[in-house]
Amino acid sequence: LQMEGNRIDFYIGLSLAVSSSVFIGSSFILKKKGLLRLARKGSTRAGQGGYAYLKEWLWWAGLISMGAGEAANFAAYAFAPATLVTPLGALSVLVSAVLSSYFLNERLNVHGKIGCLLCILGSTVMVIHAPQEEEVASLSAMAEKLKDPGFLVFAVCVVGSSLVLIFAVAPRFGQKNVLVYILICSVIGSLSVSCVKGLGIGIKELVSGTAVLKDPLFWALLICLAICVTIQISYLNKALDIFNTSIVTPIYYVFFTTSVMACSAILFKEWLKMNVDGVVGTISGFLTIILGIFLLHAFKDITYSLDSLPLYLRKNENIGHIEPQPELL
Amino acid sequence: LQMEGNRIDFYIGLSLAVSSSVFIGSSFILKKKGLLRLARKGSTRAGQGGYAYLKEWLWWAGLISMGAGEAANFAAYAFAPATLVTPLGALSVLVSAVLSSYFLNERLNVHGKIGCLLCILGSTVMVIHAPQEEEVASLSAMAEKLKDPGFLVFAVCVVGSSLVLIFAVAPRFGQKNVLVYILICSVIGSLSVSCVKGLGIGIKELVSGTAVLKDPLFWALLICLAICVTIQISYLNKALDIFNTSIVTPIYYVFFTTSVMACSAILFKEWLKMNVDGVVGTISGFLTIILGIFLLHAFKDITYSLDSLPLYLRKNENIGHIEPQPELL
């Protein structure tokens, strides 16, 4: 019966994670469209410290869509393991790629289509292999996990490195190197996910009648989450404004997922319960997704010389190619 | 103990399948190099009915390497299920791609590298999910399977369609359409694999002391295999001579594997014993391999305009790109 309950929880978590990706994928497009409209109006851009985006309704629609997505994501963490929920964020990259081709007129070429397929295949493989058992069932169990020396060392490293990145590296290199802002978001993201996981379990306990609100850990997690998410949103906005969505999204995915999986492995030790097949399958799926995202984005604006392609691809109208120059013919 | 024996058999089959791919992958390169050398000498080409390749030692080295590979492959089928052994043939595509870049000066670009990685990831996922149990243990059990009405219908269809392809389609369209010769090889290949499977089991029985040589089925399978393999070698040679290795190899892989998996599913009904995860995983792995092979080959000779690539790829020296024309600068 316990096993049955875990299985149902797993599928609830899975559905929440997938629907969250749809919301978050759409939100990237809405936000980007809002920021583009602002740039056309000539306001001070977010990357240069402006806050004009707060007056743009499209940006707010994006924020609300992201809020709904994050809420679904939040709930998903309460039902399914982080090792499953976080990588499924790839589906949001896919949604955002497909929507970009409709609403931002960013054409999806054959590389993009293969990339989308690979994201789906990799996610499928990860879902099959994800551990189905819940690692922690109560807030007190979570408290035990948080006191583990391994996790404490990890948390100190995360906070220390984010402070260095924010105060020493970002002011100098943030505008030039795309990795800086994304690294801040990703590293802090691993803490957010841990807080979300704890809070989700707390809320589940609250619903079943435990006096969770008297537990200081619940409030500590909530405050920590608020701080982390504020920093993440702020730096993700900066990154999205300065650099192309097609660069920010995939790098953010890879860094954020890796960081959450590392954190989850240290905190919940869920990898220890998996068999060899499960570990190999999960890693293969994750690498497949990364390759898919790479294809989706690295060759987004590629132009080919048409005669270097096999005949069956030349007929494909959707492919980016170099038009023969009329004056040279 | 029975389970343990099956597990050991599985790993023996797996190692044989992998080493077979190395031999077969090398054989493509050796044969192609032989045929290229002949073309330079001006002999009548295999695609036009010539047999001069029989005098070229490189072609023979290729044939021997293919023979060793096929022997290992043959043995692999006796130990592991066809649903595992056949798809692992993808590794031969990978070996041939890597060797091509060294010995045929066919440069492996970033697409090719991603394709190789995807072949490895897809194969890994398939290996994890392949059914580990042996479907048939004796030649008499095999005889039962072969009498199954489903398989008889399949076999009649295969023979009928190959005869149509060989006598009606090939003379007209074989030289123009790459699919014709490959389709002949692939469809007949599914019968070869069934014969190989039966013979392998027979030889295993022979070693353990059963009087297999008195069974007419053993000899029937041997004759059938000889006929099938002769036709396959002849048409694969024709295809390789007329069309580019980079077109023939991937199409052959996809068609041959699909055809063998269909045949194996009808003959051994191994899919019925797999759980949903296993089926989904196997299909995901197979599709990942197909995408990998597609990337390896479709973009093999692609030339890009360099400024359409992201900066981190422009620095990569291995990428195919359009050189700026000196006279236009």
Side-chain angles (χ1 to χ4, degrees), chain A residues 11 35 42 48-50 53 63 77 87 95 98 158 197 200 212 220-221 226 236 267 292 320:
Chain A
Y11 287 114
L35 291 171
Q48 287 144 18
Y53 58 86
L63 191 71
Y77 280 110
V95 169
V98 172
V158 162
K197 187 89 198 170
V212 167
L221 288 173
L236 190 59
L267 187 53

Side-chain angles (χ1 to χ4, degrees), chain B residues 39-54:
Chain B
R40 248 180 281 126
K41 284 185 195 157
S43 322
T44 315
R45 304 186 68 168
Q48 288 144 16
Y51 289 94
Y53 58 86
L54 294 175

Side-chain angles (χ1 to χ4, degrees), chain B:
Chain B
L1 209 86
Q2 178 66 24
M3 273 300 290
E4 266 307 296
N6 273 335
R7 245 192 124 69
I8 293 170
D9 269 14
F10 179 83
Y11 287 114
I12 294 176
L14 184 59
S15 332
L16 284 168
V18 171
S19 61
S20 128
S21 284
V22 174
F23 281 113
I24 293 175
S26 321
S27 85
F28 274 105
I29 306 305
L30 289 167
K31 277 188 175 179
K32 185 76 188 176
K33 225 174 154 65
L35 291 171
L36 280 174
R37 190 184 282 187
L38 279 172
R40 248 180 281 126
K41 284 185 195 157
S43 322
T44 315
R45 304 186 68 168
Q48 288 144 16
Y51 289 94
Y53 58 86
L54 294 175
K55 289 182 200 153
E56 171 61 51
W57 73 267
L58 264 173
W59 188 87
W60 279 105
L63 191 71
I64 290 165
S65 173
M66 181 160 263
E70 292 296 349
N73 204 246
F74 182 106
Y77 280 111
F79 290 98
T83 314
L84 172 75
V85 177
T86 313
L88 283 186
L91 298 177
S92 78
V93 177
L94 190 150
V95 169
S96 110
V98 172
L99 292 181
S100 289
S101 74
Y102 283 100
F103 296 109
L104 298 179
N105 299 321
E106 298 176 10
R107 195 172 42 176
L108 199 62
N109 59 21
V110 72
H111 295 83
K113 284 169 192 162
I114 296 175
C116 285
L117 283 176
L118 287 173
C119 286
I120 295 172
L121 291 175
S123 303
T124 309
V125 171
M126 285 201 88
V127 169
I128 293 173
H129 292 289
Q132 293 208 353
E133 297 153 54
E134 200 49 78
E135 318 85 359
V136 272
S138 70
L139 214 55
S140 52
M142 184 77 186
E144 279 309 304
K145 299 268 181 192
L146 289 174
K147 281 179 208 151
D148 186 86
F151 179 72
L152 287 176
V153 171
F154 179 81
V156 168
C157 291
V158 162
V159 173
S161 58
S162 336
L163 288 176
V164 170
L165 281 170
I166 292 176
F167 292 108
V169 182
R172 275 207 208 160
F173 304 105
Q175 305 263 336
K176 294 170 221 152
N177 192 325
V178 67
L179 295 182
V180 178
Y181 290 148
I182 295 177
L183 221 72
I184 296 171
C185 295
S186 307
V187 169
I188 291 195
S190 71
L191 292 187
S192 311
V193 167
S194 308
C195 295
V196 160
K197 187 88 197 174
L199 287 172
I201 292 159
I203 291 171
K204 263 169 95 180
E205 277 192 285
L206 190 68
V207 170
S208 66
T210 317
V212 167
L213 299 180
K214 286 179 189 162
D215 190 337
L217 179 62
F218 185 83
W219 300 104
L221 289 173
L222 196 62
I223 292 166
C224 176
L225 178 63
I227 296 169
C228 291
V229 166
T230 311
I231 299 172
Q232 269 180 278
I233 289 188
S234 158
Y235 281 94
L236 190 60
N237 261 328
K238 284 178 198 266
L240 273 173
D241 187 51
I242 299 176
F243 306 100
N244 203 319
T245 327
S246 67
I247 303 289
V248 173
T249 318
I251 301 178
Y252 184 51
Y253 171 78
V254 174
F255 279 43
F256 178 62
T257 307
T258 309
S259 150
V260 168
M261 280 167 82
C263 177
S264 185
I266 291 166
L267 188 55
F268 302 115
K269 300 180 178 63
E270 52 207 356
W271 293 82
L272 295 178
K273 289 179 215 152
M274 291 163 77
N275 56 13
V276 177
D277 283 7
V279 173
V280 171
T282 304
I283 294 173
S284 301
F286 185 45
L287 293 176
T288 306
I289 295 176
I290 292 178
L291 289 175
I293 291 181
F294 176 72
L295 278 175
L296 246 172
H297 289 288
F299 303 106
K300 198 158 192 164
D301 304 312
I302 199 170
T303 47
Y304 317 148
S305 80
L306 206 54
D307 57 358
S308 71
L309 283 184
L311 286 167
Y312 59 91
L313 278 179
R314 287 185 214 173
K315 290 171 194 159
N316 187 335
E317 301 252 354
N318 276 328
I319 220 164
H321 59 79
I322 299 165
E323 296 290 346
Q325 307 281 311
E327 60 270 38
L328 294 177
L329 286 179

Side-chain angles (χ1 to χ4, degrees), chain A residues 101-102 105-114 299-304 306 309 311-323, chain B residues 299:
Chain A
S101 73
Y102 284 98
N105 298 323
E106 296 176 9
R107 195 171 45 177
L108 199 61
N109 60 19
V110 71
H111 295 82
K113 284 168 192 165
I114 296 176
F299 302 105
K300 198 157 193 165
D301 304 311
I302 198 170
T303 47
Y304 318 149
L306 206 54
L309 282 184
L311 284 168
Y312 58 93
L313 277 179
R314 285 183 215 175
K315 290 171 194 162
N316 187 334
E317 300 254 354
N318 276 327
I319 219 163
H321 59 80
I322 299 164
E323 296 289 345
Chain B
F299 303 106

Side-chain angles (χ1 to χ4, degrees), chain A residues 25-316:
Chain A
S26 321
S27 84
F28 274 104
I29 306 304
L30 289 166
K31 278 189 175 178
K32 184 75 188 179
K33 227 177 152 62
L35 291 171
L36 280 174
R37 191 185 280 187
L38 279 171
R40 250 180 280 125
K41 285 185 195 155
S43 324
T44 316
R45 305 187 65 167
Q48 287 144 18
Y51 289 93
Y53 58 86
L54 293 176
K55 289 180 199 153
E56 170 61 50
W57 73 267
L58 265 173
W59 188 87
W60 280 104
L63 191 71
I64 290 165
S65 174
M66 182 161 262
E70 292 296 349
N73 202 246
F74 182 106
Y77 280 110
F79 289 98
T83 313
L84 172 75
V85 177
T86 312
L88 283 186
L91 297 177
S92 77
V93 177
L94 190 149
V95 169
S96 109
V98 172
L99 292 181
S100 290
S101 73
Y102 284 98
F103 296 108
L104 297 180
N105 298 323
E106 296 176 9
R107 195 171 45 177
L108 199 61
N109 60 19
V110 71
H111 295 82
K113 284 168 192 165
I114 296 176
C116 285
L117 283 176
L118 287 174
C119 286
I120 294 173
L121 290 175
S123 303
T124 308
V125 171
M126 285 200 88
V127 169
I128 292 174
H129 292 288
Q132 294 209 352
E133 297 153 54
E134 200 48 80
E135 318 84 358
V136 273
S138 69
L139 214 55
S140 53
M142 184 78 184
E144 279 309 304
K145 299 268 181 191
L146 290 173
K147 281 178 208 151
D148 185 86
F151 179 73
L152 289 176
V153 170
F154 178 82
V156 168
C157 291
V158 162
V159 174
S161 57
S162 336
L163 289 175
V164 170
L165 281 170
I166 291 174
F167 293 108
V169 183
R172 275 209 205 159
F173 304 104
Q175 307 265 334
K176 292 172 225 154
N177 191 327
V178 67
L179 295 182
V180 178
Y181 290 147
I182 295 177
L183 221 73
I184 296 171
C185 294
S186 307
V187 169
I188 291 194
S190 72
L191 292 187
S192 310
V193 167
S194 308
C195 294
V196 159
K197 187 89 198 170
L199 287 172
I201 292 159
I203 291 171
K204 262 170 95 180
E205 277 193 286
L206 190 66
V207 171
S208 65
T210 317
V212 167
L213 298 179
K214 286 178 187 160
D215 190 336
L217 179 62
F218 186 84
W219 300 105
L221 288 173
L222 196 63
I223 292 167
C224 175
L225 178 64
I227 296 170
C228 290
V229 166
T230 310
I231 300 173
Q232 268 181 280
I233 288 187
S234 155
Y235 281 95
L236 190 59
N237 260 329
K238 285 178 198 263
L240 273 175
D241 187 50
I242 300 175
F243 305 100
N244 201 320
T245 328
S246 68
I247 303 291
V248 172
T249 318
I251 301 177
Y252 183 52
Y253 170 78
V254 174
F255 279 44
F256 177 63
T257 307
T258 309
S259 151
V260 168
M261 280 168 82
C263 176
S264 186
I266 291 166
L267 187 53
F268 302 114
K269 300 179 179 63
E270 52 205 356
W271 293 83
L272 295 178
K273 288 179 217 151
M274 291 163 78
N275 56 12
V276 177
D277 283 6
V279 172
V280 171
T282 305
I283 293 173
S284 300
F286 185 45
L287 293 176
T288 305
I289 296 174
I290 292 178
L291 289 176
I293 292 179
F294 175 71
L295 278 175
L296 246 173
H297 290 288
F299 302 105
K300 198 157 193 165
D301 304 311
I302 198 170
T303 47
Y304 318 149
S305 77
L306 206 54
D307 57 357
S308 71
L309 282 184
L311 284 168
Y312 58 93
L313 277 179
R314 285 183 215 175
K315 290 171 194 162
N316 187 334

